[in-house]
Amino acid sequence: MLPIQTFLSLAKKHVSDAKLVVIGNEAADLDSMASSIVYAYLRNLQVPGLFVLPLMVIPREDFILRTEALYVFKEANIDLDDVIFIDELDLDKIMEQAALVLVDHNKLAGDLKKFDSQVVTILDHHRDEGLYKTASPRIVEPVGSTTSLVAREFFTSGIEVSRDVAVLLGGTILLDTVNLADDAGRVTELDKEIAARVLPLCPLPQQKFFDTVQKEKFNVAGLSTNDLLRKDYKESQLGTVKCGIASALLPVEQWAEIDNDLASGFAKFAAGRTLDLLLSMNAYTNPEFNRNLVIFCKSKDAHDQLLTYLQENELDLTPLDCPAQKQSDSGFITFYRQGNIGISRKKLQPLLADFYK
Ligand SMILES: [Mn+2]
């Protein structure tokens, strides 16, 4: 049987011949990416000679931010050179002769909406938007992971599930269902049934496999300051102030060890996006939940006014010694422990909007 690696490398070689393009949702998480690849592989095995292209809907440079996917793909022996990203092809051209399969979403968004009339198949676990009623199969079921639906198709086809395919499916199901835990409220009977069939084919036992995928999700060791800032980033215009807020999952102290010139990294990121204000909200567990806040703004005055306002709103900020605050030509940066851990980005955003309106 054609190994999944060979399938991917052939799919890449024949991009311009693709008759079916399989895409996940815009967030391009592990579920979306693993589902695209495995479902495309299955369709190709069912109809040899049908060129099916699994397409990752993020630029290639963003893939390293999905650290859990990086790990699971590696464990599945997937060569990243054979994975195709949306910035590497002319999708308009391909869609002149191809149809679209949606996995892990059931409604096209943004720029892709123009392909609405070309959706022929759906496998998803989100709320059914009731679109593309002629799609076949059209499977929208509230299971824990889309990969469970893909796996069921695989088992139904009678085609053997290899070790590497099992790793892609099993790793994703465990992550999406928090290790099949009932109290996490995500797992369904189907997820459990599928897990019971694919996990025995995986090289790691269930608990160890889950722990590793989960750990890799938070493994930011290989990322630069620029990557850490853009990994989970939101931007908004607040009156005359252009404000960016990053959410990072590591202590500021650890970040300062990875990058001994955080001030420059923040200044460069802010300059590239013409920001007046750049905040990083750092959340981590060690062993209790903690928050840090980094404030980068144009001047010490601007900083002091914002700090006073944030303290009035009970963020309970105390300066961190390491790293020290720093004034440079490009801006002023300070680092705090945020005592009030209840203030998340969702809550901080409206507070800032009020302040700058
Ligand atoms: Mn999903």
Side-chain angles (χ1 to χ4, degrees):
M1 192 176 69
L2 184 76
I4 191 162
Q5 293 81 4
T6 314
F7 158 70
L8 285 172
S9 124
L10 285 171
K12 178 141 194 178
K13 209 171 286 169
H14 291 279
V15 162
S16 54
D17 303 317
K19 291 290 179 289
L20 213 47
V21 177
V22 185
I23 59 168
N25 68 45
E26 287 178 299
D29 62 2
L30 177 60
D31 191 27
S32 274
M33 295 197 283
S35 294
S36 315
I37 290 178
V38 177
Y39 191 68
Y41 176 50
L42 172 65
R43 291 293 288 261
N44 179 266
L45 291 175
Q46 286 175 320
V47 186
L50 174 70
F51 292 106
V52 190
L53 178 69
L55 177 62
M56 310 302 115
V57 294
I58 45 169
R60 176 174 288 272
E61 63 159 6
D62 283 3
F63 186 73
I64 58 158
L65 304 178
R66 273 73 170 174
T67 45
E68 68 280 20
L70 207 56
Y71 163 71
V72 173
F73 279 32
K74 185 163 175 256
E75 193 61 45
N77 297 306
I78 303 289
D79 184 344
L80 289 183
D81 286 344
D82 292 333
V83 179
I84 304 112
F85 295 87
I86 199 157
D87 59 332
E88 299 176 318
L89 48 70
D90 183 349
L91 188 58
D92 287 343
K93 185 93 203 306
I94 291 166
M95 290 308 295
E96 283 172 13
Q97 40 147 40
L100 209 50
V101 174
L102 310 188
V103 293
D104 202 20
H105 65 317
N106 63 74
K107 183 184 184 178
L108 285 168
D111 208 25
L112 298 171
K113 273 200 205 107
K114 61 187 169 196
F115 304 125
D116 264 342
S117 66
Q118 287 163 277
V119 174
V120 294
T121 296
I122 299 174
L123 279 84
D124 183 33
H125 65 150
H126 294 90
R127 193 172 64 93
D128 193 341
E129 305 279 350
L131 301 171
Y132 322 123
K133 286 293 192 186
T134 58
S136 170
R138 188 184 187 286
I139 300 167
V140 184
E141 290 176 32
V143 292
S145 178
T146 305
T147 47
S148 294
L149 302 173
V150 173
R152 187 176 60 193
E153 295 300 292
F154 222 109
F155 285 119
T156 306
S157 76
I159 298 171
E160 190 195 335
V161 172
S162 68
R163 174 219 178 266
D164 294 335
V165 170
V167 166
L168 289 173
L169 297 171
T172 310
I173 292 169
L174 291 180
L175 185 73
D176 279 352
T177 64
V178 197
N179 200 20
L180 309 175
D182 286 312
D183 54 13
R186 305 228 189 111
V187 73
T188 66
E189 279 313 307
L190 179 70
D191 299 301
K192 289 181 189 175
E193 274 168 40
I194 298 292
R197 295 181 76 170
V198 298
L199 291 176
L201 304 171
C202 295
L204 294 178
Q206 179 183 335
Q207 185 68 47
K208 178 98 172 95
F209 195 13
F210 170 72
D211 288 345
T212 312
V213 180
Q214 181 76 5
K215 191 190 85 199
E216 287 300 325
K217 188 175 176 178
F218 296 97
N219 177 9
V220 291
L223 300 183
S224 66
T225 291
N226 184 54
D227 290 337
L228 286 164
L229 285 170
R230 72 195 179 92
K231 192 175 195 311
D232 181 0
Y233 172 75
K234 294 206 167 126
E235 198 171 276
S236 48
Q237 184 71 42
L238 309 172
T240 58
V241 173
K242 192 173 174 191
C243 169
I245 310 181
S247 168
L249 302 174
L250 78 172
V252 161
E253 278 101 342
Q254 188 191 338
W255 197 347
E257 278 166 25
I258 298 170
D259 179 352
N260 61 20
D261 191 6
L262 278 181
S264 296
F266 272 68
K268 208 170 159 197
F269 188 93
R273 290 166 175 76
T274 63
L275 299 177
D276 301 290
L277 175 66
L278 172 59
L279 303 176
S280 174
M281 301 191 76
N282 292 45
Y284 60 96
T285 309
N286 179 34
E288 70 286 4
F289 186 74
N290 285 281
R291 284 189 184 279
N292 298 159
L293 180 71
V294 185
I295 302 178
F296 176 87
C297 51
K298 293 216 157 138
S299 67
K300 186 169 185 313
D301 277 355
H303 164 270
D304 291 350
Q305 286 163 21
L306 175 61
L307 179 65
T308 305
Y309 174 74
L310 293 177
Q311 296 295 46
E312 281 166 9
N313 284 278
E314 292 165 359
L315 260 75
D316 186 16
L317 300 171
T318 46
L320 288 169
D321 297 338
C322 165
Q325 63 175 51
K326 195 169 169 184
Q327 171 77 63
S328 72
D329 294 345
S330 46
F332 185 69
I333 190 168
T334 49
F335 307 88
Y336 298 96
R337 204 184 90 81
Q338 181 183 317
N340 184 350
I341 55 171
I343 307 269
S344 61
R345 180 166 59 188
K346 256 195 204 78
K347 293 193 177 151
L348 184 61
Q349 253 166 348
L351 284 178
L352 293 172
D354 266 357
F355 182 59
Y356 289 113
K357 79 177 175 220

